Amino acid sequence: HNVSLAAYLFMAVCQLWCSCYNSSASAFAFLSSVSTGRLGGALDAVPSTDFQMVLSPEFEPNHPHFFQRQLDLCRRIITEDATTSYLEGDQIGVLPERHRFVEHSRCTARFGEALLQARDHASSDDEYKLAIYNAQSLVDYVETSLDKSNNTLAVRNGLLDDIAECLSTSSLYQFRKLQLECDASDSDFTPEQFDLELIGRLYYSAISRTKPYLREVGLTFDHTGFTALLALCRASSATDCASMSSSKHQYMPILSEPGARLDAALSNHFNAITVTGRRFFFSHHHGLDSCRPKTRGKHLIVAFSSLGNGIVRHEFGGSLAKLNNQMSESFDVLYVADPAQSWYQKDDRGGFNGFAQYESRIKAASKPYKHVSLIGDSMGGSGALLFSHLATESVVAFAPQVDLARDDHVSRDDMTLLVKEQFQTRLFENAEEAIKKGVTLFVHRGKESSDTQHTDQLMNRLASKCPLESERLKIIEHSDCNHHQIAVHLKQKGHLLEAISTCLMSNVVM
């Protein structure tokens, strides 16, 4: 849940683990030529002084000028003075402010901004110079690719598929499996340190597998080089689609087919779930003691996953198992995860057909049950509200996000403004449908300001659209929690099981 701090720590771990693979030795010999550049008149490539160093999030990867602006930013990094360290005094080692490249470095197309971030927040002169080296290598590679393809391809044809394939091998899957404890979904949330170490190992394995392609582009074998490689691939893939898109769909987050396959491969690698399919896991008679009779249940609970500590896994398993053993009639659990960390918008092929895919699977799983309830925390709470129209009894959401356009947790480049608006529209409409048919929505929140803003938006919307049924939205505020992690807070206080039991079973009559 504490994604910001977690990201800084795992980045440091990645750098340490990957240092033995770093190509820094050859990089430094090259740096003496950086100031003059190797672009053939480097000063001509320097943007004007009013060049926008960091593009706003609304300047999306499918924008016709996006790729060129990122490339120009790399050129600017190169031509700025690299003979003197950028770091002075107490700047060395200071952690940067939260940034979009931290949590979702594998999900950005902003390769120029990523390298700028690496340079300006370097913790040593060596890291500072390597950021410049990566920018030079990337520019050289793109210019060479464009020359060879008559200005049609910014990266080698087949590069994206090669990377996707190397991240999808059975041996890498087995490596992932060894890093995880048996995924029996028998706990609610995982300790942060465990997930930090896991993320580091996943990055280490991914960087090791992509060494041939990092070498091809000339990038360093570390977190920064890996981020730049993936961002370059995404940006080139999105640019291909931008040229084919009509003005009506200009800002749709469209990837080429190789780009979508790479996106899916990354989502499948960077998660903490080993069950087949990763997105859905059905637990029949979940957690029921062996001495209990196992008759067919009438109640299905659908548990949606959050971002966790920067990596997605199934949640609420421990509390749901305890609750199941307290019930006179047991229930089943369907765990639903979004390894793409897209608020259930991306499908398993890397496209944005996620809502329809998740809806279809949940509908099919729910069909045999008389009672269906949903639960989720943070992104999972948003998922529970997004699919609340599929519930028959209750929906329990802990600190959900409603307005993704104004929430810092959402930092994928391809979660464009249009995607976020469509998400909010669907969530509102489905919540309205749910309360009109008698479903009760329970929303738990602490005192954190953004959480209260999200729930206030939901409350105001339902009050205006469904004034007679809006009382079925129950806002439960926990005044002793001043942060976003309300479910973890209740778990630490020993109140989570009671909160889940009271809300989930409030309408159920077996």
Side-chain angles (χ1 to χ4, degrees):
H1 296 266
N2 193 358
V3 180
S4 179
L5 175 60
Y8 301 135
L9 292 174
F10 85 70
M11 285 170 67
V13 172
C14 290
Q15 294 285 359
L16 178 61
W17 275 335
C18 298
S19 60
C20 60
Y21 295 103
N22 214 321
S23 56
S24 56
S26 59
F28 292 130
F30 148 90
L31 286 172
S32 60
S33 64
V34 165
S35 296
T36 55
R38 301 192 302 177
L39 304 178
L43 292 178
D44 295 335
V46 181
S48 61
T49 54
D50 62 351
F51 176 75
Q52 189 175 0
M53 293 284 284
V54 178
L55 301 174
S56 68
E58 288 72 27
F59 199 92
E60 295 157 355
N62 283 107
H63 191 286
H65 304 304
F66 178 88
F67 189 92
Q68 186 60 48
R69 296 295 289 273
Q70 295 297 312
L71 197 61
D72 286 346
L73 184 52
C74 287
R75 294 189 178 108
R76 178 159 185 162
I77 293 171
I78 296 165
T79 54
E80 286 179 346
D81 183 17
T83 60
T84 304
S85 173
Y86 171 85
L87 303 169
E88 296 179 359
D90 58 4
Q91 287 181 309
I92 296 178
V94 175
L95 292 178
E97 295 180 359
R98 186 182 185 282
H99 194 277
R100 68 171 59 91
F101 304 118
V102 174
E103 291 87 335
H104 292 287
S105 60
R106 60 188 182 273
C107 305
T108 183
R110 299 169 185 263
F111 57 89
E113 293 177 53
L115 291 175
L116 178 69
Q117 175 81 354
R119 186 198 69 174
D120 289 355
H121 295 291
S123 59
S124 68
D125 284 346
D126 289 353
E127 286 186 12
Y128 178 84
K129 292 174 182 177
L130 283 174
I132 302 172
Y133 168 78
N134 280 324
Q136 179 70 77
S137 297
L138 193 147
V139 169
D140 288 349
Y141 176 82
V142 169
E143 291 190 339
T144 301
S145 296
L146 290 172
D147 287 343
K148 289 181 177 179
S149 63
N150 294 321
N151 290 321
T152 58
L153 294 174
V155 300
R156 172 178 61 81
N157 188 26
L159 177 63
L160 279 69
D161 277 330
D162 288 345
I163 298 174
E165 184 177 354
C166 81
L167 293 175
S168 305
T169 61
S170 59
S171 60
L172 189 59
Y173 173 75
Q174 291 303 320
F175 173 86
R176 284 184 62 256
K177 201 168 183 178
L178 287 173
Q179 309 312 307
L180 297 167
E181 296 178 344
C182 182
D183 186 9
S185 302
D186 57 358
S187 62
D188 291 315
F189 311 107
T190 306
E192 182 179 61
Q193 187 58 40
F194 180 88
D195 278 346
L196 295 184
E197 294 173 359
L198 173 61
I199 293 171
R201 290 193 291 270
L202 293 179
Y203 265 99
Y204 166 76
S205 60
I207 292 169
S208 298
R209 293 303 180 102
T210 55
K211 280 176 61 179
Y213 312 111
L214 289 165
R215 184 180 294 110
E216 176 183 335
V217 181
L219 299 170
T220 51
F221 303 154
D222 57 12
H223 186 273
T224 299
F226 185 65
T227 298
L229 175 65
L230 297 182
L232 172 64
C233 290
R234 287 178 177 278
S236 64
S237 178
T239 300
D240 290 341
C241 295
S243 64
M244 297 183 290
S245 301
S246 65
S247 58
K248 180 179 179 181
H249 298 96
Q250 185 174 0
Y251 299 112
M252 287 293 288
I254 307 170
L255 289 173
S256 65
E257 290 184 5
R261 286 192 289 270
L262 176 58
D263 187 88
L266 288 164
S267 296
N268 288 338
H269 178 68
F270 286 100
N271 65 77
I273 304 167
T274 59
V275 294
T276 303
R278 295 180 179 85
R279 293 170 181 257
F280 302 92
F281 173 57
F282 182 77
S283 182
H284 192 50
H285 301 303
H286 175 70
L288 208 62
D289 291 342
S290 57
C291 59
R292 290 282 304 273
K294 293 180 171 58
T295 57
R296 181 179 178 83
K298 300 177 182 178
H299 189 188
L300 177 68
I301 296 176
V302 184
F304 293 86
S305 295
S306 71
L307 290 179
N309 297 309
I311 189 164
V312 172
R313 62 173 70 246
H314 298 140
E315 296 174 337
F316 294 104
S319 291
L320 291 176
K322 291 178 182 177
L323 178 60
N324 214 7
N325 282 290
Q326 295 175 4
M327 303 298 295
S328 57
E329 293 190 32
S330 65
F331 54 79
D332 298 332
V333 178
L334 174 66
Y335 290 95
V336 181
D338 176 14
Q341 303 183 2
S342 67
W343 273 254
Y344 299 90
Q345 301 305 292
K346 300 211 75 171
D347 58 56
D348 58 8
R349 295 187 176 183
F352 270 89
N353 193 38
F355 176 80
Q357 186 179 73
Y358 282 107
E359 183 184 48
S360 175
R361 292 289 298 273
I362 296 169
K363 273 184 177 179
S366 303
K367 194 171 182 179
Y369 294 89
K370 178 181 179 181
H371 309 288
V372 178
S373 303
L374 315 181
I375 185 172
D377 171 46
S378 191
M379 181 182 76
S382 301
L385 292 173
L386 181 63
F387 297 99
S388 57
H389 61 300
L390 303 180
T392 64
E393 308 300 331
S394 59
V395 174
V396 186
F398 296 91
Q401 293 86 30
V402 171
D403 184 2
L404 301 186
R406 294 173 178 81
D407 195 277
D408 285 341
H409 295 91
V410 187
S411 49
R412 286 189 64 116
D413 280 346
D414 50 3
M415 292 285 287
T416 62
L417 187 60
L418 182 57
V419 172
K420 295 171 183 177
E421 290 174 347
Q422 289 178 345
F423 167 88
Q424 187 179 51
T425 298
R426 279 175 172 155
L427 187 149
F428 282 155
E429 291 176 348
N430 292 343
E432 292 165 17
E433 179 182 339
I435 63 173
K436 284 179 179 179
K437 68 178 185 179
V439 175
T440 304
L441 310 181
F442 296 93
V443 178
H444 291 259
R445 70 183 186 186
K447 301 290 287 184
E448 207 277 328
S449 59
S450 65
D451 290 336
T452 59
Q453 291 169 11
H454 284 299
T455 51
D456 286 347
Q457 281 194 51
L458 179 63
M459 182 168 54
N460 294 336
R461 166 72 180 220
L462 296 184
S464 64
K465 294 291 184 177
C466 314
L468 298 179
E469 298 90 354
S470 61
E471 64 181 16
R472 294 199 180 102
L473 171 64
K474 311 290 185 183
I475 306 295
I476 305 169
E477 187 164 291
H478 301 269
S479 58
D480 59 340
C481 181
N482 296 316
H483 53 77
H484 173 68
Q485 303 170 49
I486 181 63
V488 174
H489 171 80
L490 292 174
K491 176 78 172 181
Q492 292 171 344
K493 293 286 186 179
H495 300 155
L496 181 61
L497 179 59
E498 179 184 358
I500 292 175
S501 175
T502 302
C503 299
L504 277 182
M505 303 301 169
S506 61
N507 292 355
V508 179
V509 179
M510 295 294 188

